[in-house]
Amino acid sequence: MTSVCPFAKAPRSDDICPRKSGETNNQNETEHREKVKNESDDSASVSPKCPFGYDSQTFKLGPFSCVICQALLFDSSKCVPCSHKYCKVCISRFNDCPLCGADIERIEPDKDLQDVVDRFIEGHARIKRPQVNGDLKEVVGDNKTVTYADVSLERGAFLVQQAMRAFRSQNIPSAKSRLSLCSEDIREQLERLGNTSELCSQLGAVLGMLGDCCRAMGDAGSAITYFEESAEFLSKFPTEDMEVTHTLSVSLNKIGDLKYYEGDLQAARSCYSRSLDVRRNAIKDRLNVSSQIIDVAVSLAKVADVDRNLGHEDVAVDGFQEAVKCLESLTLNANEAGLEQKRVSVLEYLHSQLTPEQTATTV
């Protein structure tokens, strides 16, 4: 699963503060006081801070979090006899309570707590806000209008963050559940606003993560379905965005991997070739982007590997040699140690696929 939140760069329509710092003259101050006084008579403002500490910048642990996976509780369960609460998947790996060390005699579901967590998500993490400038207003008792200000919590970013925490801790059902909620939200936005590039990009990334969850659970069929839908959404707009290009090519490669493991080599090669085309097109105007060049070499290696298994040895050797040339001609900066490690690792694999004579011809 990608470590990059697809909502990280998403602009928010309500980020603009309504107060204008330049308006400091007495007349404006008087008008502002009068406006506030009038509004206080017929409206209430919702606090932008989450009382439980779940905010979009820090994502701190809160009272509804599992201390093992550090995500929101999912399938909440209580240890007996100590009564400490965790996700069922998380605590099932332990014989002793991680918090107090007591022997766990049995694990019981805590439906009441899970209902609270689910209501929290519905009412807070999934709060509906408009996609155009302006506040969301709702008429409540006594004909007063409640104005929902920026709650410091993007529901998409929040749900993805929780899913990524759960996934890293191998609580795959929790991750899949949060991502499913997130995809539902984005689909609702698509129905109302149409296929904007931002929404398609976000949904494509979330669908790819759902594919990772299904793959981790051993459900290859559902994983392929999610990866294919991810690729479909990500293909709907130009590939100038490097992150979108990378996510699209990765989804195609993952479909190819699953087809490869199923023994459908032709389908695998088709997916790998599409990913290679996407990556080649991406570096046409960005030859100095090291990560993109390494991606191209990886795709060349995948296509060549399938060609070899299909009996096309000469074509396979050409592909491996082209990949070697890409990586050996790449010069990395001192601050790109991570990429250098990946480059060396891929080069070692490529050299293992070629004879010394074939390797010599690439120099």
Side-chain angles (χ1 to χ4, degrees):
M1 180 182 288
T2 178
S3 61
V4 179
C5 174
F7 298 84
K9 297 185 291 184
R12 296 204 313 227
S13 59
D14 47 2
D15 274 344
I16 301 174
C17 178
R19 297 191 183 97
K20 299 179 181 179
S21 58
E23 297 178 355
T24 57
N25 59 67
N26 292 335
Q27 181 180 356
N28 286 337
E29 288 179 358
T30 302
E31 291 175 354
H32 178 68
R33 292 194 194 97
E34 185 65 23
K35 181 179 180 181
V36 170
K37 180 180 182 300
N38 292 337
E39 288 178 346
S40 65
D41 294 334
D42 59 5
S43 70
S45 178
V46 175
S47 171
K49 288 291 185 181
C50 170
F52 294 106
Y54 294 96
D55 83 45
S56 60
Q57 301 301 318
T58 60
F59 294 103
K60 294 179 180 177
L61 288 177
F64 301 146
S65 301
C66 169
V67 298
I68 298 175
C69 68
Q70 301 188 351
L72 284 176
L73 286 162
F74 178 78
D75 203 359
S76 301
S77 298
K78 177 176 66 175
C79 296
V80 177
C82 67
S83 297
H84 286 124
K85 316 292 178 64
Y86 308 92
C87 300
K88 182 178 179 180
V89 169
C90 296
I91 194 58
S92 295
R93 306 174 192 142
F94 292 83
N95 294 320
D96 302 326
C97 176
L99 283 176
C100 67
D103 291 340
I104 300 175
E105 296 179 2
R106 65 181 183 277
I107 298 172
E108 297 179 348
D110 192 330
K111 185 178 183 300
D112 291 339
L113 176 57
Q114 190 59 52
D115 286 344
V116 173
V117 175
D118 292 342
R119 288 199 299 272
F120 168 79
I121 293 174
E122 286 295 324
H124 188 34
R126 301 184 75 201
I127 188 169
K128 300 295 187 292
R129 285 185 291 164
Q131 296 297 310
V132 295
N133 289 332
D135 293 325
L136 180 63
K137 296 184 178 180
E138 178 181 329
V139 177
V140 294
D142 299 329
N143 295 323
K144 290 186 177 181
T145 300
V146 176
T147 301
Y148 288 87
D150 177 6
V151 295
S152 294
L153 186 64
E154 291 284 6
R155 63 179 182 274
F158 179 81
L159 290 169
V160 168
Q161 179 74 15
Q162 297 299 312
M164 291 168 67
R165 286 185 174 190
F167 190 90
R168 284 194 295 267
S169 299
Q170 298 301 305
N171 190 348
I172 310 302
S174 174
K176 185 180 178 184
S177 173
R178 306 312 179 205
L179 291 169
S180 296
L181 293 176
C182 188
S183 68
E184 290 174 13
D185 280 348
I186 303 174
R187 291 182 196 278
E188 289 178 7
Q189 301 289 335
L190 285 169
E191 289 180 3
R192 187 167 70 253
L193 303 174
N195 291 336
T196 67
S197 61
E198 179 185 339
L199 290 174
C200 287
S201 173
Q202 290 174 356
L203 183 56
V206 170
L207 290 170
M209 294 179 186
L210 280 166
D212 288 330
C213 291
C214 292
R215 188 177 182 180
M217 297 171 73
D219 187 356
S222 296
I224 289 175
T225 299
Y226 279 122
F227 289 138
E228 288 177 340
E229 191 175 3
S230 170
E232 177 187 349
F233 275 98
L234 294 171
S235 299
K236 287 184 177 180
F237 49 93
T239 56
E240 283 81 8
D241 189 314
M242 290 174 56
E243 188 63 39
V244 170
T245 298
H246 178 74
T247 305
L248 171 58
S249 63
V250 167
S251 289
L252 291 169
N253 275 341
K254 288 178 178 178
I255 299 170
D257 290 343
L258 292 169
K259 294 294 185 182
Y260 185 96
Y261 299 142
E262 291 177 353
D264 191 347
L265 297 181
Q266 292 291 354
R269 191 187 191 286
S270 175
C271 292
Y272 290 151
S273 295
R274 284 181 61 194
S275 176
L276 176 58
D277 290 341
V278 169
R279 291 176 170 182
R280 274 179 165 160
N281 289 332
I283 66 170
K284 285 181 179 178
D285 300 321
R286 294 191 290 265
L287 294 176
N288 60 335
V289 181
S290 304
S291 61
Q292 297 276 13
I293 296 174
I294 295 176
D295 283 346
V296 169
V298 170
S299 286
L300 283 166
K302 285 179 174 291
V303 174
D305 179 59
V306 177
D307 284 332
R308 173 167 286 170
N309 281 277
L310 289 171
H312 306 150
E313 182 63 20
D314 291 342
V315 178
V317 170
D318 289 342
F320 285 129
Q321 288 177 333
E322 184 181 353
V324 169
K325 290 178 180 177
C326 281
L327 296 180
E328 289 187 339
S329 63
L330 179 62
T331 302
L332 297 174
N333 299 324
N335 61 349
E336 296 179 304
L339 287 178
E340 174 61 17
Q341 184 177 2
K342 183 176 181 180
R343 186 187 78 90
V344 171
S345 175
V346 176
L347 262 178
E348 288 177 353
Y349 167 76
L350 293 170
H351 287 149
S352 72
Q353 301 303 306
L354 298 169
T355 65
E357 293 77 14
Q358 291 167 341
T359 301
T361 61
T362 64
V363 180

